[in-house]
Amino acid sequence: MSWQPDGPGVLRLPSGRLVRGRGLRAPRPPGPAATYAVHLLGRRPRAAGPEVTWLRWPDFRLPSDPGRAGAVLLDAWHRAAGERVEVACGGGRGRTGTALACLAVLDGVPAADAVAFVRRHYDRHAVETPWQRRFVERFPGRGK
């Protein structure tokens, strides 16, 4: 029960897992709702609809608790094997792109290539700051 591979904002990871990235300030894309969402925001969101996990992640910054971010993203990666997983921040580019790049690392994309992968397959403006790029480059994989 996953996303359509050609749906708006849907990133296909090398394993075939599909994850939708989006901006919360924009209307929800057409199609089925997420069954699980990770919201990357500086303030706690009002949960509506899917099961939502909030990561405190201020705009243009990094997650406040990198260890928890790693655990939440690993859980999202596992869930994406059979659920409709969505990762979202305010605009859908910086924090969302960074999280999607971390999911790509978990999926086996070399950390040094993950930002380019997400820019090529999700949004060419994804991952907005140098420190977000470094976060991805240092993000641990699954220990393959």
Side-chain angles (χ1 to χ4, degrees):
M1 190 192 228
S2 63
W3 301 108
Q4 294 299 317
D6 57 349
V10 176
L11 173 68
R12 179 187 292 278
L13 295 168
S15 67
R17 285 173 167 87
L18 301 173
V19 179
R20 182 170 72 188
R22 75 179 190 99
L24 293 169
R25 291 190 299 263
R28 188 173 70 78
T35 56
Y36 176 69
V38 178
H39 288 180
L40 315 166
L41 300 166
R43 293 185 180 153
R44 182 177 300 279
R46 288 179 288 202
E51 183 180 344
V52 175
T53 296
W54 168 58
L55 282 176
R56 183 183 301 275
W57 192 328
D59 203 6
F60 296 106
R61 302 275 191 253
L62 297 176
S64 298
D65 183 343
R68 181 166 182 271
V72 167
L73 292 174
L74 180 60
D75 181 49
W77 179 82
H78 281 294
R79 286 175 174 239
E83 295 181 51
R84 290 187 307 271
V85 173
E86 175 179 275
V87 176
C89 66
R93 289 186 169 172
R95 293 167 286 180
T96 296
T98 302
L100 291 174
C102 291
L103 291 175
V105 171
L106 290 170
D107 205 62
V109 174
D113 301 330
V115 171
F117 176 85
V118 169
R119 286 178 175 169
R120 186 170 47 256
H121 299 288
Y122 169 68
D123 185 312
R124 65 187 180 104
H125 299 291
V127 188
E128 295 174 317
T129 68
W131 40 92
Q132 289 173 340
R133 175 183 281 279
R134 278 193 303 275
F135 184 79
V136 173
E137 290 169 353
R138 295 175 181 162
F139 192 78
R142 289 184 297 131
K144 288 184 178 178

